[in-house]
Amino acid sequence: MAQKLDSGIGGDVTLFHTSQLDRLINMARENSLWYLLFGLACCGIELIQTGGPRADIMRFGAIPRASPRQADFMIVAGTLTYKMAERAKLLYDQMSEPKYVISMGSCANCGGLFQYAYSVCKGVDKMFPVDVYVPGCPPRPEALTEGLIRLQELVRNERWSDKRRAPPAVAV
């Protein structure tokens, strides 16, 4: 199905409607999201628990990866210091597009209990864009599972033809 539009420059532009193709590609992408293992503090224990047999985040298609080049999204779990923020930014830059970020826990969201310390970053969103925030100190595995479901909804509604997207922030 094609639609012709006048480009105003003297030629016609043909637009192709790819909504069914977008739906098919996004269905495959949303059910096979691989996440980067990046646990920093006590929230890292809850991240590990989410991958365990009781919460079993792998049933949603989220597979842990140790390499940023193979990961689709990063879960930043715990207190991010400025010293570690440089390394987190490096890992984020090594991920391929499209890439997503889940900020897990109060310390990752805004600094938490340690926000008055000089060495603590006042939120992961100061370093790179965050798509889903998971609140709590520490958040339960069910909250992280809900955050993954929100990320899957974001991927499902995304247009595949858009190369760059504006990073929306979704609160759980």
Side-chain angles (χ1 to χ4, degrees):
M1 178 190 301
Q3 178 183 9
K4 287 197 165 205
L5 294 175
D6 183 22
S7 65
I9 306 173
D12 290 335
V13 177
T14 305
L15 296 175
F16 291 98
H17 298 286
T18 60
S19 62
Q20 296 296 329
L21 182 61
D22 282 341
R23 188 178 302 160
L24 179 68
I25 291 172
N26 287 342
M27 184 179 67
R29 286 178 56 226
E30 77 174 307
N31 292 318
S32 65
L33 290 171
W34 295 359
Y35 64 94
L36 180 63
L37 297 169
F38 199 68
L40 296 171
C42 48
C43 287
I45 304 297
E46 296 296 325
L47 174 61
I48 294 167
Q49 178 64 30
T50 307
R54 186 172 185 158
D56 193 21
I57 202 170
M58 283 195 257
R59 66 186 160 151
F60 295 101
I63 310 294
R65 302 305 297 173
S67 171
R69 291 177 180 90
Q70 298 172 347
D72 296 319
F73 72 100
M74 177 181 356
I75 301 174
V76 180
T79 309
L80 185 69
T81 60
Y82 287 113
K83 190 174 186 179
M84 193 60 162
E86 296 173 11
R87 285 135 182 105
K89 178 72 172 146
L90 178 68
L91 290 173
Y92 177 78
D93 290 339
Q94 289 177 355
M95 292 171 61
S96 61
E97 290 286 339
K99 50 190 166 187
Y100 309 97
V101 175
I102 292 180
S103 176
M104 178 183 173
S106 297
C107 293
N109 292 343
C110 65
L113 302 170
F114 312 106
Q115 64 183 339
Y116 297 116
Y118 68 92
S119 61
V120 174
C121 186
K122 309 306 186 259
V124 176
D125 55 351
K126 306 288 187 221
M127 304 314 298
F128 38 81
V130 174
D131 297 301
V132 178
Y133 292 94
V134 179
C137 184
R140 299 277 308 141
E142 294 84 12
L144 183 57
T145 304
E146 178 69 24
L148 175 67
I149 292 171
R150 299 290 176 150
L151 183 64
Q152 286 178 335
E153 289 173 5
L154 184 105
V155 170
R156 181 183 315 126
N157 297 327
E158 190 175 49
R159 297 261 336 217
W160 177 251
S161 60
D162 296 340
K163 282 275 208 178
R164 300 293 295 172
R165 61 177 174 75
V170 178
V172 177

